[in-house]
Amino acid sequence: QLRVKSCDTRPLSSPQNTVPNTQIDLFEFISVEYEVSWPISMVVSSDSVLDYRCIFASFMQMKVAAHALRETWGQLQTISRDKRLGRPRHLARSNPEADYSAFLSGRLRRVELFRHELDFFLRGLSGFHQYVVDSCWERLLGQIGMAASTMHLTSAHDHFVSKVLDLGMLSPAYKAERQLIDSILQRMVDLRALVVRNDELEFMVLEDDKTYERVESVYSAFRKDVHCLGKLLKGLRDKGHDGAMILYEQHWFPG
């Protein structure tokens, strides 16, 4: 079951290169609670429940990021179909021959490509985690079929949870990798905050230079994070880490 573990209403922090009040861990107050009773408690320990919370939190962040990208895409599609792309006065005076509509279209195309890169990253990450869970689960089912005692069941389940955490790089041992992934997911929420508007200023991301520059800043931070993550994953891959090898070679870091 899902349970609210706190109702903290303090203002959200605003790390560098993020848009205020739009944090990827917005729903960190939601946790997974599972009260195990005997005899299941002989297999699923309280420590395992804590590990499940960690896995759940990671999947929740990906859901938040996916929702942000969907809303961003919808807003960009609305903008692309609109014919109100006019010529601002200061540009009309300084360069009356400029094709301002083409100028805005170029900006729109760049924002769309940025969103596409973020979406590609998220799809790869989600597919990777789904593969990790599915493969570990299949292994657990095989071990359950061969278990001869409760001790064997407990050992198989503990191994399942620890393997998901290790292959998925969700355990504290992969703090640096997790921080970079969380930072990249944050870029998706940041882009949504800059693009999606519920008022007459829906074209601000294209017409307002400062807003567009913030989009470019978020994109630069994203590319930097991806580069750093790629280096860390390559190092883990070279050490024989199966999860890092899959993530590095099959998704975003070819060659």
Side-chain angles (χ1 to χ4, degrees):
Q1 64 182 23
L2 295 181
R3 179 175 299 174
V4 176
K5 64 182 180 181
S6 72
C7 294
D8 191 352
T9 57
R10 292 172 299 174
L12 295 171
S13 60
S14 302
Q16 187 178 10
N17 292 324
T18 66
V19 179
N21 299 325
T22 54
Q23 298 303 95
I24 191 64
D25 57 359
L26 182 63
F27 296 103
E28 65 176 356
F29 57 87
I30 300 178
S31 68
V32 141
E33 299 286 344
Y34 183 59
E35 298 178 359
V36 292
S37 57
W38 191 88
I40 299 178
S41 59
M42 300 175 65
V43 177
V44 182
S45 65
S46 57
D47 288 340
S48 295
V49 174
L50 293 177
D51 291 334
Y52 279 123
R53 288 181 188 174
C54 177
I55 297 170
F56 172 81
S58 178
F59 275 76
M60 176 63 81
Q61 286 189 343
M62 288 188 288
K63 289 293 185 181
V64 171
H67 178 71
L69 289 181
R70 283 195 299 271
E71 287 201 325
T72 301
W73 177 247
Q75 184 68 60
L76 291 175
Q77 288 299 292
T78 299
I79 293 175
S80 68
R81 292 192 296 266
D82 201 290
K83 303 302 182 182
R84 293 179 297 160
L85 301 182
R87 187 194 306 272
R89 295 177 181 176
H90 72 279
L91 283 183
R93 288 196 305 267
S94 62
N95 189 4
E97 304 300 325
D99 186 351
Y100 189 62
S101 178
F103 170 74
L104 291 184
S105 296
R107 282 190 169 183
L108 175 63
R109 178 59 176 165
R110 183 161 176 81
V111 177
E112 287 176 335
L113 289 174
F114 177 25
R115 196 216 69 92
H116 177 72
E117 283 192 51
L118 291 172
D119 185 66
F120 180 74
F121 180 97
L122 183 60
R123 287 177 183 273
L125 182 66
S126 300
F128 164 71
H129 280 297
Q130 192 63 56
Y131 166 78
V132 168
V133 172
D134 289 345
S135 61
C136 291
W137 178 252
E138 289 183 7
R139 189 177 299 112
L140 173 62
L141 292 179
Q143 292 174 338
I144 290 176
M146 297 183 294
S149 66
T150 303
M151 184 178 296
H152 290 158
L153 287 175
T154 302
S155 176
H157 178 262
D158 289 345
H159 179 73
F160 161 73
V161 176
S162 64
K163 198 66 175 176
V164 169
L165 290 174
D166 181 65
L167 280 178
M169 292 171 282
L170 300 173
S171 71
Y174 304 99
K175 182 179 179 179
E177 290 81 4
R178 286 309 314 169
Q179 286 179 336
L180 283 170
I181 290 176
D182 290 348
S183 179
I184 292 171
L185 295 178
Q186 177 65 51
R187 310 304 174 201
M188 302 176 190
V189 179
D190 289 344
L191 181 63
R192 185 258 177 216
L194 291 169
V195 172
V196 177
R197 305 291 302 230
N198 297 318
D199 51 31
E200 67 279 4
L201 300 177
E202 61 184 7
F203 288 94
M204 179 175 287
V205 67
L206 302 182
E207 293 186 314
D208 182 70
D209 289 339
K210 290 185 177 180
T211 302
Y212 183 76
E213 287 172 3
R214 294 179 75 184
V215 172
E216 291 284 3
S217 177
V218 172
Y219 178 69
S220 297
F222 162 71
R223 295 302 305 171
K224 181 180 178 181
D225 289 340
V226 168
H227 176 73
C228 293
L229 180 61
K231 292 175 64 176
L232 291 178
L233 291 179
K234 184 177 185 301
L236 289 175
R237 182 202 65 174
D238 294 343
K239 294 179 181 179
H241 191 283
D242 292 337
M245 179 185 68
I246 295 172
L247 210 51
Y248 183 85
E249 295 183 353
Q250 295 185 9
H251 292 292
W252 332 299
F253 311 103

